[in-house]
Amino acid sequence: MQEIQLGRINRLKIIKFTDFGFYLDGGNKYGRILLPNGELTQKVDVGDEVDVFLYLDHEERLVATMRNPLAMVGDFAYLEVAWVNQFGAFLSWGVLKDLFVPFREQKKKMEKGHKYIVHVHQDEETFRIMASAKVEQFLSQDTPAYQPGDEVNTLIWQKTDLGFKAIVDNKFAALIYDNQVFRPLHTGDQLKAYVRQVRPDGKIDLILQREGQAAAKDFSEVLLKYLQDNGGRTVLGDKSAAEDIYNVFGVSKKVFKKAVGDLYKQHLITIEPDGLRLNPQSK
């Protein structure tokens, strides 16, 4: 039996049924763990192995749910404050008991209804699951092993004078410079990005799409397929606004123009004053 992890998804066996739920086998260390009826998302029976999220209820008892939380222990997440009291703030995170952020872990006093980037962790003293808005202390200090062009999962953290701070692969600090931003970005956005470089200090510079001819080649195939599927034309062209291009194709104007040039050189499209038209032989 694998070691049970509080605040994570665990695969456990159902060993008993009761009127109020099922008991799971928590091994010698945890004994029986309750999976209440209200926390079921599918039909189960004794003997089944199920994937459940484990957390402590209001009475500090270990309890299971089949519902997926918005974040787990070790994750950075963008969560909303459900309520506050004299001890701190409590965040909605997809399970019955809200996630506690004590005042000492708040950069500024959190307000009900507002959302914040936090790190979810297990307190070393109390073993309770809680969150902290002081996310810097939870970011890895290791030098990332990424190479230029690597695709990474990115969480937008905050706006700065240089651009947008981001958290890469739930672990590393990164930055997207303003001159690389061609679409609206907001705190809490989760998106794919690409490594431009890893600086000597270990920080990562990101771009929102691949650079160079490879990016244009990839998109030229997308653009050609779009024209083939949409009557052989588009009103977008070299003079279109970058925002309009992104809204339709999800790429920068620079990549769009390179792809247009590539298709034009292959005689696959005609560039017209009111957009692009597919040549007959390309249909």
Side-chain angles (χ1 to χ4, degrees):
M1 182 177 182
Q2 293 184 340
E3 182 179 355
I4 288 177
Q5 294 181 300
L6 182 64
R8 305 289 300 178
I9 301 293
N10 297 260
R11 176 164 283 258
L12 300 177
K13 186 175 183 178
I14 298 174
I15 56 175
K16 185 178 179 180
F17 168 74
T18 70
D19 290 340
F20 46 86
F22 292 86
Y23 279 109
L24 308 173
D25 182 7
N28 295 330
K29 185 175 181 178
Y30 295 102
R32 298 186 304 176
I33 301 171
L34 180 63
L35 172 60
N37 287 327
E39 299 302 314
L40 298 172
T41 60
Q42 64 186 58
K43 186 176 180 180
V44 296
D45 205 347
V46 174
D48 291 347
E49 290 190 347
V50 293
D51 292 324
V52 291
F53 178 73
L54 299 180
Y55 68 104
L56 300 177
D57 67 11
H58 293 87
E59 298 182 13
E60 303 301 323
R61 296 174 302 188
L62 191 60
V63 67
T65 178
M66 295 179 73
R67 303 181 192 279
N68 290 323
L70 300 178
M72 295 188 286
V73 165
D75 288 347
F76 295 91
Y78 189 48
L79 301 176
E80 183 175 338
V81 176
W83 55 291
V84 297
N85 66 9
Q86 67 270 31
F87 302 109
F90 295 82
L91 311 178
S92 297
W93 63 316
V95 299
L96 190 60
K97 183 183 178 184
D98 294 323
L99 184 63
F100 180 47
V101 187
F103 285 123
R104 70 175 185 272
E105 296 297 334
Q106 300 178 26
K107 286 187 171 181
K108 60 180 181 179
K109 190 173 182 180
M110 290 181 165
E111 300 180 41
K112 180 181 178 180
H114 290 214
K115 299 181 76 173
Y116 303 87
I117 297 287
V118 297
H119 180 265
V120 183
H121 60 279
Q122 191 172 4
D123 184 70
E124 293 181 355
E125 295 180 2
T126 65
F127 299 102
R128 296 173 181 171
I129 301 172
M130 58 179 58
S132 173
K134 298 179 179 179
V135 299
E136 294 91 341
Q137 62 186 317
F138 298 98
L139 290 165
S140 175
Q141 300 304 309
D142 297 335
T143 299
Y146 299 117
Q147 298 297 316
D150 284 351
E151 182 180 278
V152 292
N153 295 312
T154 304
L155 173 66
I156 300 300
W157 176 7
Q158 60 184 222
K159 181 73 174 73
T160 72
D161 291 339
L162 295 175
F164 288 87
K165 285 185 177 182
I167 299 171
V168 165
D169 287 341
N170 211 38
K171 188 174 184 180
F172 298 107
L175 182 67
I176 306 172
Y177 286 94
D178 272 333
N179 63 5
Q180 296 294 328
V181 177
F182 55 86
R183 50 163 287 189
L185 292 179
H186 308 91
T187 296
D189 286 351
Q190 297 185 58
L191 61 150
K192 298 288 186 182
Y194 301 91
V195 174
R196 190 172 200 183
Q197 66 171 345
V198 177
R199 303 200 304 261
D201 62 1
K203 300 297 190 296
I204 304 166
D205 292 340
L206 297 176
I207 52 178
L208 295 181
Q209 60 187 37
R210 288 190 173 90
E211 291 185 303
Q213 196 59 39
K217 184 177 184 300
D218 289 345
F219 177 64
S220 65
E221 296 174 0
V222 173
L223 179 57
L224 182 63
K225 183 69 164 56
Y226 176 89
L227 291 169
Q228 291 170 340
D229 294 343
N230 289 272
R233 71 181 311 274
T234 175
V235 296
L236 296 175
D238 287 358
K239 296 182 180 180
S240 298
E243 184 175 354
D244 293 337
I245 291 170
Y246 179 79
N247 287 339
V248 175
F249 295 112
V251 299
S252 68
K253 187 170 182 177
K254 182 178 179 181
V255 168
F256 178 82
K257 291 177 70 173
K258 283 185 177 180
V260 169
D262 180 51
L263 295 178
Y264 180 76
K265 289 175 183 177
Q266 297 180 63
H267 306 291
L268 298 175
I269 63 171
T270 300
I271 300 174
E272 300 181 341
D274 60 347
L276 308 175
R277 186 177 298 277
L278 193 65
N279 287 335
Q281 67 271 23
S282 304
K283 293 183 179 179

